């Protein structure tokens, strides 16, 4: 009987883990990585304590699901931008795609703001994005299409500023947001 009870427990535990993962993916996609763990627990139909028992808390849960929530989309934006010919066009495509993702997926803003610096997965995304920003700025200066005073740290600030607005202010209408994307691009190009 003990062996049978043990395998039922393992089966129940596995189902709980799967339910928590799927619930976290949905809740984090909709609300961002700062979403209440109570919301995740309710969606998974488990207690909040179960999340802590299975994942160690928010950071463990983020690391478990970050690929499904946001990493794949951010890597896709970088890779698709890399395939665009012409440095000016590549930078424009990247800024537009990233800002579109920021608008549609709140978790992107949590990544860009480094809201959970203890999350290895989140910080790896930040480093990948930062490296791509460095690459774009170097290419933009070499090609003479970026303003000479525009630095990689300015790129980081532009995306962080947008993240702050989207996270902490009322969401602007999409038409206004896209118009502001054009202002940003016009401001950084020569």
């Amino acid at each position: 009987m003990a062996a049978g009870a043990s395998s039922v427990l393992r089966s129940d535990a596995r189902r709980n883990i799967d339910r928590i993962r799927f619930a976290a993916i949905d809740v984090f996609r909709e609300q961002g990585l700062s979403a209440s763990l109570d919301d995740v627990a309710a969606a998974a139909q488990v207690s909040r304590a179960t999340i802590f028992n299975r994942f160690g808390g928010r950071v463990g849960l983020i690391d478990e699901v970050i690929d499904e929530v946001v990493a794949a989309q951010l890597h896709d934006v970088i890779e698709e931008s890399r395939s665009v010919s012409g440095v000016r066009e590549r930078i424009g495509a990247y800024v537009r795609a990233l800002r579109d993702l920021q608008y549609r997926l709140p978790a992107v803003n949590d990544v860009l703001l480094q809201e959970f610096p203890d999350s290895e997965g989140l910080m790896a995304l930040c480093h990948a994005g930062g490296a791509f920003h460095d690459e774009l700025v170097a290419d933009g200066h070499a090609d003479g299409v970026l303003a000479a005073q525009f630095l990689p740290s300015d790129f980081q600030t532009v995306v962080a500023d947008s993240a702050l607005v989207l996270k902490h202010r009322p969401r602007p209408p999409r038409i206004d947001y896209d118009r502001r994307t054009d202002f940003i691009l016009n401001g950084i190009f020569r």
Side-chain angles (χ1 to χ4, degrees):
M1 174 138 168
S6 176
S7 68
V8 169
L9 180 62
R10 278 186 285 224
S11 174
D12 289 348
R14 172 54 34 211
R15 274 196 303 275
N16 281 345
I17 289 169
D18 290 342
R19 286 199 326 246
I20 293 167
R21 283 186 87 261
F22 293 128
I25 290 167
D26 289 343
V27 170
F28 288 164
R29 278 185 181 157
E30 184 178 316
Q31 299 177 31
L33 301 175
S34 303
S36 165
L37 290 184
D38 290 331
D39 289 349
V40 174
Q45 299 176 341
V46 300
S47 70
R48 189 168 190 232
T50 302
I51 294 172
F52 281 86
N53 289 337
R54 298 295 175 209
F55 297 97
R58 179 183 303 279
V59 170
L61 185 56
I62 288 170
D63 283 338
E64 180 68 24
V65 300
I66 197 156
D67 286 342
E68 292 92 341
V69 174
V70 69
Q73 293 91 331
L74 282 169
H75 287 298
D76 286 349
V77 164
I78 290 171
E79 291 312 311
E80 288 172 16
S81 299
R82 274 197 174 110
S83 70
V84 173
S85 60
V87 175
R88 183 184 191 99
E89 292 78 11
R90 184 175 317 120
I91 293 169
Y94 175 72
V95 169
R96 288 180 198 291
L98 182 60
R99 283 182 53 88
D100 174 66
L101 199 56
Q102 285 182 268
Y103 193 86
R104 292 184 295 107
L105 192 60
V108 170
N109 297 312
D110 291 324
V111 170
L112 296 173
L113 293 171
Q114 300 180 12
E115 291 283 347
F116 302 97
D118 293 335
S119 167
E120 290 180 21
L122 185 146
M123 294 310 293
L125 285 173
C126 291
H127 294 305
F132 189 58
H133 295 167
D134 292 348
E135 178 185 321
L136 287 175
V137 171
D139 291 349
H141 286 156
D143 205 48
V145 299
L146 277 180
Q149 67 275 21
F150 189 76
L151 305 172
S153 60
D154 296 323
F155 219 129
Q156 298 296 110
T157 300
V158 165
V159 297
D161 286 350
S162 180
L164 284 167
V165 167
L166 290 169
K167 186 171 173 92
H168 297 292
R169 305 269 317 205
R171 184 169 298 278
R174 185 63 197 242
I175 193 165
D176 292 339
Y177 184 77
D178 290 343
R179 183 173 47 82
R180 292 175 187 133
T181 299
D182 290 336
F183 290 151
I184 290 168
L185 288 171
N186 290 335
I188 67 173
F189 287 130
R190 285 183 161 197

